Amino acid sequence: MTEFDSFFKSAFTVDNVIFGFDEGDLKVLLIKRGEAPYMGKWALPGYFVYPNEDLDGAANRVLEELTGLRKVYLEQVKTFGAVDRHPFGRVITVAYFSLVKINDYKLQPASIAQKAQWHPVSKVGELAFDHREILDSCLERLKSLVRLRPLGFELLPPHFTLTDLQHLYEAILETELDKRNFRKKILSMDLLVDLRQTQEGVAHRPAKLYRFDRDKYVRFQAEGFNFELKEGKRKESRRNRELAPAL
Amino acid sequence: MTEFDSFFKSAFTVDNVIFGFDEGDLKVLLIKRGEAPYMGKWALPGYFVYPNEDLDGAANRVLEELTGLRKVYLEQVKTFGAVDRHPFGRVITVAYFSLVKINDYKLQPASIAQKAQWHPVSKVGELAFDHREILDSCLERLKSLVRLRPLGFELLPPHFTLTDLQHLYEAILETELDKRNFRKKILSMDLLVDLRQTQEGVAHRPAKLYRFDRDKYVRFQAEGFNFELKEGKRKESRRNRELAPAL
DNA sequence: TCAAAAGTGTTCTTATTACACCCATGG
DNA sequence: CCATGGGTGTAATAAGAACACTTTTGA
């Protein structure tokens, strides 16, 4: 194998873009680096992949060490391998994003977590390494996936109002949605359970609470179904450029 | 840096799923392995990433060494890193797919290319390593991208008929399309140029030839536009599960 | 009684689907 | 003159977009 020895000198890491939703904002969990390189800069949580660990395993480990959460939504997005992206040597990183219910998040005792903080995505500036680019890729992927699959619920508490849900979509898609059309669509999908409870202690008419019916979704998927969310912009008569096959 | 030395013992590769379209079939270019491991098995073209090379560069190199083609459509899909996926050690691989016009493909003199062959995607069986899984991921990605962007044209010769185009979509999407609706949609997108030529020497009414207007597409993109291709199945009144925000 | 957010229907426009016959050519 | 695939339109249905007022609560 000596002919290949020279290739076995690189390392790889995972970096995890952990999204949460709170106070009407999409947020991301960042860590303030306490060591070189990029000391003092905000960075994505990540670490080297251990020799006996696969990629998803490493991403889950990073997430759990930081937040204590297991079994949350996690998706591989893209791998970044610019030659000089890491000063220690050739390090390529596999970027993941995960979706957590921000209230489930408990700061872990691990020292690294002491420096973790939620940042509104819209206010994140420069980051260490190429993490800004990684964040952007994950945001874009989230935006497109959230239209195709009911991921939004991963970010909300188990009980939520339709307005919560609408605000979540508005934050992710960076758009505004029509309240009546949104509700009509969501309810027509028949994936929400009316909990027959309402908010309490709000200074306005209390909203009904719902939960996502995951079992039903799984059943619908099995029947071959698509959850799809389209754009909706039609500012000045957007031309139709959709191509629709007619099986 | 000694604390991290143990991590710098892995290697990474790129594997390239090269798609082409010919005789009504979606095809993939595979190589018959002439050495261990998996000697004699069909595999995806791929190789180690050189120390001074980024990932896209390596994928382009693999493609060019094999086919002589440069500047073809190439897209990173997913990274595979199961611990034992390669017998030589820890090797993770970044999977790409590329789209080539099969007639542009010239067998290169490189020895590796001697063993290359186009296989109809539907007839590919077991492959070396985890390459079957990689192929499946790339196929799935192609299927979803082809609905969102006009990638199909990358697989056709510069001049083509509407029937060619329809057959291409049918092959990729594994479905049948209605001829009239397909043409109506495609032509309404205003991305094809009527070349005012027709086929010659066919034993039926000759079809008109078109080309894809790439410049126009670029302009439309700049104006913010979406090329979108939807499913169209409605066998027994498929329920509407699309969620459409109304900005 | 006021402020604040919840909740609710209809109309218009656009997109999607289903569907059948005549046309041009080579053999 | 036949076989082959090319080419064309319309009507019915479904989805998407626009839009404003009443309700319920706490302060």
Side-chain angles (χ1 to χ4, degrees):
Chain A
M1 300 309 125
T2 39
E3 113 182 68
F4 296 112
D5 278 356
S6 68
F7 292 115
F8 284 83
K9 287 178 179 164
S10 32
F12 52 100
T13 57
V14 291
D15 284 305
N16 201 337
V17 176
I18 301 169
F19 289 116
F21 180 71
D22 195 25
E23 298 166 336
D25 274 331
L26 183 65
K27 301 202 171 171
V28 59
L29 191 57
L30 299 176
I31 287 177
K32 191 164 213 163
R33 288 185 61 84
E35 66 223 337
Y38 298 100
M39 179 145 71
K41 284 257 185 191
W42 291 100
L44 296 172
Y47 201 67
F48 290 94
V49 177
Y50 294 126
N52 61 340
E53 204 180 32
D54 70 16
L55 301 172
D56 290 1
N60 272 301
R61 171 175 53 78
V62 164
L63 180 72
E64 187 180 351
E65 283 174 359
L66 184 58
T67 63
L69 298 174
R70 280 165 182 266
K71 297 193 184 174
V72 304
Y73 186 89
L74 187 71
E75 173 130 350
Q76 194 196 109
V77 174
K78 194 178 165 189
T79 297
F80 293 79
V83 173
D84 58 356
R85 63 173 295 284
H86 200 299
F88 285 6
R90 190 71 198 269
V91 180
I92 69 171
T93 195
V94 183
Y96 280 79
F97 77 81
S98 47
L99 303 178
V100 311
K101 302 184 205 306
I102 220 162
N103 297 320
D104 290 355
Y105 163 70
K106 304 176 275 294
L107 201 66
Q108 290 305 103
S111 65
I112 195 170
Q114 307 302 320
K115 316 227 167 181
Q117 204 172 99
W118 290 101
H119 295 246
V121 160
S122 59
K123 287 179 187 146
V124 173
E126 289 273 297
L127 297 176
F129 304 100
D130 50 1
H131 287 186
R132 177 72 228 194
E133 191 190 345
I134 294 174
L135 172 58
D136 289 338
S137 290
C138 289
L139 268 171
E140 205 179 317
R141 181 68 63 91
L142 173 62
K143 257 192 206 183
S144 83
L145 284 180
V146 89
R147 294 161 170 276
L148 302 171
R149 296 205 290 260
L151 298 192
F153 306 101
E154 308 289 344
L155 292 162
L156 290 176
H159 300 176
F160 51 84
T161 69
L162 290 177
T163 302
D164 292 339
L165 188 61
Q166 182 177 341
H167 289 161
L168 170 63
Y169 276 101
E170 289 176 334
I172 294 176
L173 298 174
E174 296 179 286
T175 188
E176 283 181 20
L177 302 175
D178 179 273
K179 183 164 60 162
R180 280 179 287 191
N181 292 341
F182 180 80
R183 285 163 180 246
K184 207 186 310 172
K185 256 286 130 70
I186 290 285
L187 292 175
S188 78
M189 295 192 311
D190 197 19
L191 286 171
L192 296 188
V193 179
D194 181 343
L195 291 167
R196 306 181 157 282
Q197 297 172 44
T198 53
Q199 290 177 308
E200 285 176 22
V202 289
H204 55 78
R205 176 170 173 178
K208 291 208 265 183
L209 295 173
Y210 294 85
R211 70 174 176 83
F212 175 58
D213 191 337
R214 195 173 302 270
D215 293 346
K216 208 178 236 175
Y217 176 60
V218 170
R219 257 180 287 134
F220 285 158
Q221 274 188 308
E223 292 165 16
F225 117 158
N226 63 326
F227 177 100
E228 192 175 316
L229 188 140
K230 299 209 290 186
E231 266 215 343
K233 283 208 189 187
R234 194 196 292 178
K235 271 196 174 153
E236 33 184 81
S237 98
R238 168 171 69 100
R239 296 181 72 156
N240 170 28
R241 303 203 179 288
E242 299 191 352
L243 173 69
L247 170 70
Chain B
M1 299 312 125
T2 39
E3 112 182 70
F4 297 111
D5 277 356
S6 67
F7 292 116
F8 284 83
K9 287 180 180 164
S10 32
F12 52 100
T13 58
V14 291
D15 284 305
N16 201 336
V17 176
I18 302 169
F19 289 115
F21 180 71
D22 194 25
E23 299 166 334
D25 274 332
L26 182 65
K27 302 203 172 171
V28 59
L29 191 57
L30 298 176
I31 288 178
K32 192 164 211 163
R33 288 186 61 84
E35 66 224 339
Y38 298 100
M39 180 146 71
K41 284 256 185 190
W42 292 100
L44 296 171
Y47 201 67
F48 290 95
V49 177
Y50 292 126
N52 62 340
E53 203 180 32
D54 70 15
L55 301 173
D56 289 2
N60 271 300
R61 172 175 53 80
V62 163
L63 181 70
E64 187 180 351
E65 283 175 358
L66 184 58
T67 64
L69 299 174
R70 280 165 182 265
K71 297 192 183 173
V72 305
Y73 186 90
L74 188 71
E75 173 131 351
Q76 194 195 109
V77 175
K78 195 177 166 191
T79 297
F80 293 80
V83 173
D84 58 356
R85 63 173 293 285
H86 200 299
F88 285 7
R90 189 71 197 267
V91 179
I92 69 170
T93 195
V94 184
Y96 281 79
F97 77 81
S98 46
L99 303 178
V100 311
K101 301 184 206 307
I102 221 162
N103 297 318
D104 290 357
Y105 163 71
K106 303 177 275 295
L107 201 67
Q108 289 305 102
S111 64
I112 195 171
Q114 307 303 320
K115 315 227 168 180
Q117 204 170 100
W118 290 101
H119 295 246
V121 161
S122 58
K123 287 180 187 147
V124 173
E126 290 271 298
L127 296 175
F129 304 102
D130 50 3
H131 287 186
R132 177 71 228 194
E133 191 190 347
I134 294 175
L135 172 59
D136 289 338
S137 290
C138 290
L139 267 171
E140 204 179 319
R141 182 68 64 90
L142 173 62
K143 259 193 206 181
S144 83
L145 284 179
V146 89
R147 295 161 171 274
L148 303 171
R149 297 205 291 262
L151 299 191
F153 306 102
E154 308 289 346
L155 291 163
L156 290 176
H159 300 176
F160 51 84
T161 69
L162 290 177
T163 303
D164 291 339
L165 188 61
Q166 182 178 340
H167 288 161
L168 170 63
Y169 276 101
E170 290 176 333
I172 294 176
L173 298 174
E174 296 178 286
T175 186
E176 281 182 21
L177 303 174
D178 179 274
K179 183 165 61 164
R180 279 180 289 193
N181 293 340
F182 179 80
R183 285 162 182 246
K184 205 186 313 171
K185 256 286 129 71
I186 290 286
L187 292 174
S188 78
M189 296 193 310
D190 198 20
L191 285 171
L192 295 189
V193 180
D194 181 343
L195 291 167
R196 306 183 156 281
Q197 295 172 46
T198 52
Q199 291 178 309
E200 284 176 21
V202 289
H204 54 79
R205 177 171 173 177
K208 291 208 265 185
L209 294 173
Y210 293 86
R211 70 174 176 83
F212 175 58
D213 191 336
R214 194 173 303 270
D215 293 347
K216 207 177 236 174
Y217 175 61
V218 170
R219 258 180 286 134
F220 286 157
Q221 274 187 308
E223 292 165 15
F225 116 158
N226 64 325
F227 177 100
E228 193 176 316
L229 188 141
K230 299 207 290 184
E231 267 215 341
K233 283 208 192 187
R234 193 194 294 176
K235 272 197 174 153
E236 33 183 85
S237 96
R238 169 171 69 100
R239 296 180 74 153
N240 170 28
R241 303 203 179 288
E242 300 190 354
L243 172 69
L247 169 74

